[in-house]
Amino acid sequence: PMPSLFWKVLAFLEPGKEDLAAIDTNTVKFLDDLAGMKEGVTLDSIEDYVDGYLGARGRDRSPPRWAWTNRGEFVEHVLGHRLHEFDPQIHAVRRGLGDVVPVPAFAL
């Protein structure tokens, strides 16, 4: 079956965190944990993840500079990026399918 993260974008719907969790539970769990942390928690794993994320991000989606005080903004940015990182490919599929099926029918 096609992941909901894919078909929702294909059908002009907005994907949510639950759609990302269906294909990437580790990132969603990490973001939930990060958003709910209290100050004083060991940050080694967070720094590793953040460094990895910053190294892999697209040029057009610069994240906020990572800091403990803006972790909520960082979490929202990463979530938004992950929810829409496949949009260009999905839009290409939609254009291709649109040659066979009327595009407005995707929203049914």
Side-chain angles (χ1 to χ4, degrees), residues 3-106:
S4 59
L5 186 66
F6 182 90
W7 67 258
K8 280 189 175 180
V9 176
L10 190 66
F12 303 99
L13 300 171
E14 185 65 30
K17 185 166 48 170
E18 66 282 354
D19 302 307
L20 179 60
I23 63 168
D24 189 355
T25 55
N26 289 335
T27 294
V28 172
K29 181 176 178 350
F30 172 79
L31 294 175
D32 287 344
D33 290 348
L34 180 58
M37 283 185 167
K38 306 284 187 272
E39 194 158 3
V41 174
T42 304
L43 299 178
D44 292 338
S45 64
I46 295 170
E47 294 295 338
D48 289 344
Y49 182 86
V50 169
D51 289 345
Y53 171 75
L54 294 177
R57 74 183 191 283
R59 288 179 294 174
D60 61 331
R61 296 185 186 221
S62 294
R65 186 153 177 85
W66 160 253
W68 179 258
T69 55
N70 76 336
R71 69 187 183 282
E73 180 184 357
F74 185 84
V75 165
E76 289 302 313
H77 177 84
V78 172
L79 182 60
H81 171 78
R82 291 299 316 236
L83 287 173
H84 295 284
E85 70 181 310
F86 303 111
D87 285 4
Q89 292 84 357
I90 297 169
H91 294 163
V93 169
R94 185 189 299 141
R95 283 191 304 276
L97 285 173
D99 289 343
V100 180
V101 178
V103 173
F106 295 166

